[in-house]
Amino acid sequence: MLFVQDVTKKYGKLLANDAVSFEVNPGEISILLGPNGAGKSTLIKCIAGLLKFTGKIFVNGNDNKSLQAKRELGYIPEIPALYEMLTVWEHLEFIARAYSLQNWEERARALLKRFELDDKAKKLGSELSKGMQQKVSICCALLPSPKVVLFDEPMVGLDPHAIKELKKCIIEMRQEGAAILISTHMLDSVDEFWDSANIMINGRIAARRRRRDTLGSGEDLEALFFAITEGSKIKSYNDTCGNENLHPEEKLG
Amino acid sequence: MRALAYLIVTQIKNKILYLKKKPALMVLYGIVALMLIASIAVVILLGSDSSKTSSADERILYLIIAGVGLLFVYNFSVSGLSTGSSLFTMPDVGLLFVAPISPKKILMYGLLSTFGKALLGSIFIFYQIGNLKSSFGYGFKEIFMLFIIFAIMLLLCQLLSIGIYIFSNGNNTRKTFVRTIIYSLLGILVLTYLFVQKEQIGFFETLLRIVASDGFGYFPVAGWAVMLFMGVVHNSTVKIIAALAMFFIMGTAIIILLTSDRADYYEDVLLSTEVTYQIKSAAKEGRQPTYANTKKIKLKDEAVGIGKGSKAGAIFYKHLLEHRRKSRLLFIDSYTLFMMIAAGIAGFNFKVKEAPDAAYYAVFAIAVYFQYFMTSMGKLRQEL
């Protein structure tokens, strides 16, 4: 389970995240939606333990900067970067050693096969294209079977097969009880499997929805997204849908 | 094997194996290594000449060490005020920082790999082995110490940069405080120069006297490096211990700052790591890095917009706008100012009786030299 409470992140005077709170339960796929500069990647980096912040973040009950939390967390960064002088297989071996994994080889082979990297196992990081690097980055994050997984724009740069496999992987992880958080600004890429959605703008979560609620109310997530992110449309949207669907903090206008 | 040891060993192994795919590079490295071994072997076989057959002024070498040290201190301090410096790479951020490995162990890995790179970068000193031996009569011990001193300075200055970044990031008062210290130290050097210059001993002799003085030995990094080298050359244990102690205290203080709860160094090295990664990626792909300029530019509303030009003219006005935003003096940026000062100093000091016009040639040569780099790295290349 991922628990985020009052997370605020400032870069000098710039408020990148403003008292953000939400949680992702086991077996749930939660998405962070928002336009460029909304603060999604900053929030993901805070959760991954890369940035300082005020507030609380817990990964399965452990402070996110503790080694135990890191053992249970998988992070796929927006820009994949591999060690130039490690082969694909050696990246996985390094991860296995870092996470003290036992009998990891079979899972590693399965992941490589799934992402069509099995014939690239002996290729160095420097010899891979951006898309392949992204696939290796995904394999590295998934090898330890994390209980909480963070994806930062995971579909960017992937080929159609890899996108299909990644979506399958995400759904399988949900079935296995992982809490999954996906940051994206591409609604279409996550439309088929999200369970909860957090729409961010100006560093704040402007709206939260659960799929089951929107199915019941007939509310369209895309319409809500544009209503929030394109300020001029808020009024007309509220007039159409009624304000009762919005949190108090959602009333941006 | 533990993860970090595996990472280091495997990367070194693969770097060596990679040479099999690049035979020309392997031949080149082979030749370089042979020359290096031969140079060292000659010095060892001939032995150290304690009588110092040559009459070359040892202070010239102190001046070179001091110059390199000051350049490092200034450049790394300035980078500490903007992006900081990094002991890490982007793969470290994406794979290592998020792994369940103690941040202190990761810091040790960063320090070790940076020191290793600094040592590799210092190998060029061994190619001066012949010069150093014939000019100063130095043996292997002195030359090896030069090699170590250069690497220590590089490592310490990177740490200094990170330390300054942690201390001043997001706090303008602290940034001003750091700037005041940097410029005060430079001011002290200038005042010392003016004071010694009173004796009418000439520019070069003044510099030599300053760097060889006991007082300069306490100047951060550059002075300590000179003191350490002087200690080795003159077998002064006190100087060696004093210099090493100062290096150690500074290094330890910054590492404590890095590992303190408040610092949380992952974020402190992140920006610099990202900037370095973008610059390297851009260089590999043959394009200009967009992230390289981290200077904040305040825009006035009335100054927004290219305004003039069409077709090729639009490019001209675009560059004009960029120049105006980069520097208040339009075409005169910090590089140009630096070039003017360097050329001015050169012109002032190249006074040769036999060739009174030498100063003009010297200034011209230096101007052309700098212009070459400015052009090759500047906007012109971007448009081509």
Side-chain angles (χ1 to χ4, degrees), chain A:
Chain A
M1 179 183 180
L2 175 66
F3 180 77
V4 176
Q5 188 182 39
D6 284 332
V7 168
T8 298
K9 173 66 198 167
K10 277 185 179 177
Y11 291 108
K13 288 176 185 170
L14 176 75
L15 190 60
N17 289 150
D18 183 11
V20 175
S21 299
F22 66 94
E23 55 188 57
V24 186
N25 294 307
E28 180 182 339
I29 298 173
S30 187
I31 52 173
L32 272 178
L33 292 171
N36 294 330
K40 306 185 298 294
S41 289
T42 301
L43 184 59
I44 291 276
K45 282 179 185 167
C46 286
I47 298 169
L50 297 175
L51 298 178
K52 288 175 259 186
F53 57 88
T54 57
K56 287 175 184 170
I57 298 176
F58 291 104
V59 175
N60 280 351
N62 301 297
D63 181 274
N64 74 319
K65 296 203 173 178
S66 68
L67 295 187
Q68 186 54 38
K70 289 183 177 189
R71 240 170 240 125
E72 301 190 2
L73 186 79
Y75 168 58
I76 293 98
E78 185 179 7
I79 303 167
L82 301 183
Y83 289 106
E84 290 188 349
M85 284 296 146
L86 285 194
T87 65
V88 171
W89 185 257
E90 284 161 351
H91 273 88
L92 294 169
E93 185 172 353
F94 163 68
I95 292 293
R97 289 172 187 274
Y99 287 77
S100 308
L101 304 179
Q102 303 294 320
N103 307 317
W104 54 275
E105 291 88 347
E106 198 177 325
R107 180 167 164 79
R109 276 188 210 100
L111 280 167
L112 291 185
K113 190 166 186 183
R114 198 159 188 181
F115 286 96
E116 296 182 312
L117 287 168
D118 41 344
D119 58 336
K120 306 281 188 300
K122 290 184 179 173
K123 287 268 179 197
L124 288 171
S126 60
E127 295 170 332
L128 300 177
S129 67
K130 280 279 171 205
M132 283 184 196
Q133 288 189 25
Q134 177 73 331
K135 290 186 202 176
V136 177
S137 178
I138 292 168
C139 293
C140 286
L142 300 188
L143 184 65
S145 303
K147 301 282 185 295
V148 176
V149 193
L150 308 173
F151 289 95
D152 195 355
E153 303 288 359
M155 316 289 181
V156 176
L158 291 182
D159 56 47
H161 174 85
I163 289 175
K164 191 177 135 197
E165 281 306 321
L166 180 59
K167 285 179 177 178
K168 271 200 218 169
C169 260
I170 290 171
I171 292 165
E172 284 169 19
M173 282 189 288
R174 170 171 63 184
Q175 285 164 353
E176 288 160 12
I180 299 158
L181 180 65
I182 304 171
S183 161
T184 184
H185 54 249
M186 297 192 298
L187 276 166
D188 294 347
S189 65
V190 291
D191 194 40
E192 60 204 86
F193 54 67
W194 65 274
D195 297 310
S196 61
N198 305 283
I199 301 176
M200 286 191 77
I201 188 160
N202 299 331
R204 302 185 69 202
I205 291 186
R208 287 186 206 94
R209 290 291 180 274
R210 295 203 162 271
R211 182 190 279 272
R212 58 173 179 264
D213 299 335
T214 58
L215 288 175
S217 67
E219 187 183 34
D220 180 21
L221 188 65
E222 192 175 24
L224 175 66
F225 175 80
F226 285 119
I228 289 170
T229 56
E230 296 177 18
S232 61
K233 292 181 184 173
I234 288 177
K235 193 174 178 305
S236 62
Y237 176 82
N238 287 348
D239 291 344
T240 311
C241 298
N243 269 344
E244 67 275 13
N245 282 336
L246 298 175
H247 274 255
E249 64 180 341
E250 294 169 22
K251 293 174 185 172
L252 302 173

Side-chain angles (χ1 to χ4, degrees), chain B residues 83-247:
Chain B
T83 60
S85 191
S86 187
L87 308 170
F88 301 98
T89 60
M90 273 307 275
D92 293 330
V93 172
L95 296 167
L96 203 52
F97 286 8
V98 294
I101 300 173
S102 155
K104 285 180 185 167
K105 284 182 184 167
I106 293 176
L107 180 63
M108 282 310 297
Y109 157 81
L111 286 169
L112 267 177
S113 55
T114 305
F115 191 59
K117 284 173 198 162
L119 282 178
L120 272 179
S122 312
I123 273 183
F124 75 92
I125 287 168
F126 284 110
Y127 291 104
Q128 296 302 320
I129 222 163
N131 279 337
L132 292 167
K133 183 160 181 60
S134 61
S135 301
F136 304 102
Y138 289 156
F140 183 75
K141 181 183 78 176
E142 289 87 354
I143 294 160
F144 183 74
M145 271 319 290
L146 264 183
F147 167 69
I148 295 291
I149 286 170
F150 188 84
I152 289 176
M153 280 201 295
L154 198 56
L155 179 71
L156 256 284
C157 285
Q158 283 193 312
L159 280 176
L160 175 70
S161 180
I162 299 171
I164 289 174
Y165 183 78
I166 294 171
F167 177 73
S168 65
N169 181 32
N171 188 326
N172 283 331
T173 315
R174 287 186 173 190
K175 278 187 180 174
T176 309
F177 176 70
V178 173
R179 270 194 206 100
T180 309
I181 290 179
I182 295 169
Y183 292 117
S184 300
L185 286 172
L186 291 176
I188 289 170
L189 282 182
V190 172
L191 287 175
T192 312
Y193 172 82
L194 292 174
F195 182 76
V196 180
Q197 175 73 10
K198 273 187 189 170
E199 296 175 36
Q200 303 283 321
I201 48 175
F203 175 73
F204 200 54
E205 179 60 26
T206 308
L207 291 182
L208 292 177
R209 281 197 189 179
I210 292 171
V211 295
S213 65
D214 282 343
F216 186 76
Y218 296 98
F219 196 90
V221 184
W224 305 340
V226 173
M227 193 201 279
L228 179 56
F229 188 66
M230 283 168 89
V232 171
V233 170
H234 298 294
N235 291 320
S236 166
T237 315
V238 175
K239 280 189 172 169
I240 294 172
I241 290 174
L244 284 176
M246 282 185 275
F247 276 128

Side-chain angles (χ1 to χ4, degrees), chain B residues 6-81:
Chain B
Y6 174 81
L7 190 58
I8 293 170
V9 171
T10 312
Q11 286 189 97
I12 292 171
K13 181 196 80 183
N14 285 353
K15 264 183 194 164
I16 295 165
L17 291 175
Y18 186 65
L19 288 177
K20 280 204 295 190
K21 294 180 186 173
K22 305 268 182 187
L25 202 60
M26 187 151 70
V27 170
L28 179 69
Y29 283 174
I31 292 169
V32 168
L34 277 177
M35 283 169 65
L36 192 65
I37 292 165
S39 304
I40 295 169
V42 166
V43 170
I44 291 173
L45 287 174
L46 293 177
S48 176
D49 186 355
S50 57
S51 64
K52 292 203 174 99
T53 51
S54 175
S55 58
D57 193 341
E58 220 167 40
R59 295 176 305 168
I60 294 171
L61 204 54
Y62 302 160
L63 183 61
I64 294 170
I65 296 170
V68 172
L70 286 173
L71 198 67
F72 279 178
V73 170
Y74 181 77
N75 280 341
F76 281 98
S77 300
V78 169
S79 79
L81 289 168

